[in-house]
Amino acid sequence: MITAGSAEVIIYVVSDAAGDTGELVVRAAVAQFHPVQTDIRRAPFVMDVPTLERFVVQAKLSGAIVLYTLVIPHLREAMKNLAKEHQVEAIDLLGSLIESLERQTGRHSRQEPGLNHVLDADYFRKVDAVEFAVRYDDAKDPSGVLKADIVLIGVSRTSKTPLSMYLAHQKFKVANIPLVPEIKPPKELFNVPVERIIGLTIGVPYLNTIRKERLKALGLPNSASYAAEDRILKELEYAEAIMRQIGCVVIDVSHRAVEETASLIMEHFRGV
């Protein structure tokens, strides 16, 4: 239960389409609880049960609520069972209505995700951008930085992945690269036009708190070096040196919501 003064509410929006419908409903609901802080995490284009389970387990670890808009029956049923098995609060946004409409009309639903979208070029650009963000997240394939509209760089837990997904829904192709002192950045990064690169930094105390919460969610002791202030300072100094070398714009994400940081990034690119 969330009480006054406790951490933000985390809500996973799980969908076999883009997840726009679910996120709109969540935002309409949480607006009624202002100023409670919420972290909305999209899980779009989920098409198999193992991926569903991965997000359910993540939700359990973070004490999150799951709202799902799954139109494919076996995924909807799997989500219901997984939520029960892992004791995660899960809300089926579409299932009951689809079943009622099937009874009323005597017809089966088409079971095709995303039919509420107009399948135009704009929509497909968004889908391409989301797929790009997933493919080139966390330097999985460094070649992505050469194809990206935006490249995000920063230490762990500076919101690189959430920002990549948010910007993808604004039709930007985003790749992100973690900066770690023990690992050299990919050589491709230094061949990207500087105006396409955004550095993300954060205050030491704020990052210390975030990392301790992350360790807690994973069931690990918060004494691990990952959350130690001297380790964090070393990582930030290293990252800032790389950013100075590149000469990119740097944004401090301390106390900023993902939406606010994304707005600053989009404003920068409008001016480029």
Side-chain angles (χ1 to χ4, degrees):
M1 179 181 294
I2 303 296
T3 57
S6 62
E8 64 187 358
V9 181
I10 301 171
I11 304 172
Y12 280 84
V13 177
V14 180
S15 178
D16 43 19
D20 292 337
T21 301
E23 182 167 344
L24 285 171
V25 170
V26 169
R27 291 192 181 282
V30 300
Q32 301 300 317
F33 295 87
H34 181 78
V36 171
Q37 296 296 309
T38 55
D39 179 1
I40 301 170
R41 303 179 181 179
R42 279 209 210 193
F45 306 111
V46 176
M47 300 302 290
D48 58 78
V49 175
T51 304
L52 277 182
E53 184 164 24
R54 178 160 56 86
F55 284 114
V56 170
V57 170
Q58 287 178 11
K60 180 177 182 178
L61 288 172
S62 55
I65 298 168
V66 174
L67 180 137
Y68 57 100
T69 56
L70 299 167
V71 302
I72 299 174
H74 83 272
L75 291 180
R76 210 161 58 234
E77 186 64 23
M79 174 59 89
K80 186 192 304 180
N81 293 335
L82 287 167
K84 184 176 180 180
E85 176 187 344
H86 292 282
Q87 298 182 315
V88 170
E89 184 173 354
I91 300 156
D92 182 358
L93 186 62
L94 297 179
S96 297
L97 181 56
I98 288 173
E99 290 166 6
S100 295
L101 287 168
E102 286 180 333
R103 287 194 296 271
Q104 288 286 339
T105 63
R107 301 178 62 177
H108 289 296
S109 73
R110 293 174 63 178
Q111 300 176 12
E112 297 177 38
L115 288 180
N116 58 317
H117 292 282
V118 178
L119 300 182
D120 57 11
D122 189 65
Y123 175 67
F124 284 117
R125 279 198 298 274
K126 182 187 290 187
V127 171
D128 285 345
V130 170
E131 290 176 346
F132 187 96
V134 171
R135 186 179 308 121
Y136 298 113
D137 180 48
D138 209 28
K140 289 175 189 170
D141 179 354
S143 69
V145 300
L146 300 173
K147 309 169 193 174
D149 300 319
I150 301 172
V151 178
L152 303 177
I153 60 174
V155 302
S156 172
R157 312 311 290 179
T158 47
S159 301
K160 294 185 300 297
T161 296
L163 275 168
S164 295
M165 295 306 298
Y166 187 97
L167 290 165
H169 282 89
Q170 309 304 316
K171 300 179 287 296
F172 289 97
K173 290 184 176 180
V174 186
N176 71 74
I177 301 289
L179 298 179
V180 184
E182 292 78 14
I183 303 173
K184 286 185 178 181
K187 61 182 184 301
E188 291 88 348
L189 178 62
F190 300 96
N191 294 322
V192 177
V194 65
E195 63 271 13
R196 292 190 201 169
I197 303 174
I198 299 290
L200 303 173
T201 191
I202 191 169
V204 174
Y206 192 56
L207 184 54
N208 176 254
T209 300
I210 291 172
R211 289 191 174 182
K212 282 182 176 178
E213 287 298 319
R214 177 61 177 162
L215 289 170
K216 182 180 177 182
L218 294 172
L220 299 171
N222 62 17
S223 58
S225 63
Y226 177 71
E229 289 199 6
D230 57 346
R231 170 65 190 184
I232 288 171
L233 185 59
K234 178 182 177 181
E235 287 187 36
L236 289 172
E237 288 175 346
Y238 171 77
E240 287 164 9
I242 295 293
M243 293 171 197
R244 284 195 302 272
Q245 180 183 349
I246 293 171
C248 62
V249 167
V250 178
I251 297 175
D252 189 335
V253 301
S254 304
H255 303 288
R256 278 200 170 103
V258 167
E259 294 87 348
E260 184 183 356
T261 306
S263 178
L264 291 172
I265 292 171
M266 289 187 288
E267 184 179 331
H268 165 74
F269 276 88
R270 280 194 291 267
V272 170

